Amino acid sequence: MRQTNTKEKILQISIEKISKKGYDNVSIRSIARDVGIKESSIYNHYKNKEDILDKILKKFLDILEETSLESSDLKKKSR
């Protein structure tokens, strides 16, 4: 259970930092520091910074798809 929490925390911290500073201005070291883990521990969860970005994008695409499906279902029901 702890691993999942750390992995999710890495994603959340990464989203916050990248949205504020931009992808190129955020390092693995700074993400690890804010998560409260060693830099090398991030690699137990993600291959590299690009892998983190890929997971962030997938997460947002999944949310958009889910929202779109819910919206489509609502439109069908209101007809």
Side-chain angles (χ1 to χ4, degrees):
M1 188 80 166
R2 182 167 164 74
Q3 185 175 12
T4 302
N5 291 337
T6 300
K7 190 170 188 169
E8 186 61 30
K9 190 170 181 181
I10 292 168
L11 265 188
Q12 291 303 318
I13 295 292
S14 298
I15 290 168
E16 291 171 20
K17 292 181 80 64
I18 291 170
S19 67
K20 288 179 185 174
K21 296 183 175 186
Y23 178 79
D24 290 333
N25 297 316
V26 175
S27 67
I28 290 287
R29 177 175 288 141
S30 70
I31 294 168
R33 182 182 58 241
D34 288 2
V35 172
I37 60 175
K38 294 180 181 179
E39 181 179 349
S40 59
S41 296
I42 284 189
Y43 300 106
N44 293 328
H45 306 281
Y46 298 98
K47 294 177 200 166
N48 51 36
K49 191 169 81 166
E50 187 176 326
D51 186 33
I52 294 171
L53 181 61
D54 288 344
K55 298 304 185 278
I56 290 169
L57 293 174
K58 182 179 181 339
K59 182 176 186 157
F60 282 109
L61 287 172
D62 289 347
I63 290 168
L64 285 173
E65 183 177 327
E66 184 178 308
T67 304
S68 176
L69 289 174
E70 288 173 2
S71 176
S72 177
D73 286 346
L74 287 174
K75 286 178 184 175
K76 286 178 186 175
K77 289 179 182 178
S78 68
R79 290 184 183 165

